[in-house]
Amino acid sequence: MDIHVNDVLLMKKPHPCGSREWLVLRIGMDFRLRCQGCGREMMIPRSKAEKSVKKILPAGQSAEKS
């Protein structure tokens, strides 16, 4: 997968706050993601993140616009 910092990931399952959108803050072996709904940040292994992604929105876009 071609994921970059500041991309928005649309996940298959929603966060408990209801949002499916996550902002990519850091990439590497782990991803640091920020929930676009509540602002919670988390680290997740790359393999788990790539399995959970439904769609990648380039920097500056969100699901409401597309």
Side-chain angles (χ1 to χ4, degrees):
M1 284 192 158
D2 194 26
I3 299 172
H4 303 285
V5 174
N6 291 329
D7 285 349
V8 175
L9 304 179
L10 190 63
M11 300 300 217
K12 293 178 183 176
K13 293 186 178 181
H15 189 244
C17 75
S19 176
R20 293 177 185 259
E21 295 182 20
W22 292 82
L23 177 67
V24 178
L25 301 175
R26 193 191 100 169
I27 55 176
M29 286 297 293
D30 295 322
F31 286 175
R32 178 176 292 277
L33 305 174
R34 179 183 295 144
C35 178
Q36 295 293 84
C38 64
R40 174 91 174 181
E41 290 186 14
M42 72 170 187
M43 294 285 287
I44 184 171
R46 177 183 279 270
S47 58
K48 187 172 181 182
E50 288 180 347
K51 289 178 188 176
S52 301
V53 172
K54 185 175 182 181
K55 186 177 181 182
I56 301 170
L57 304 171
Q61 285 188 349
S62 67
E64 290 96 31
K65 293 179 185 175
S66 51

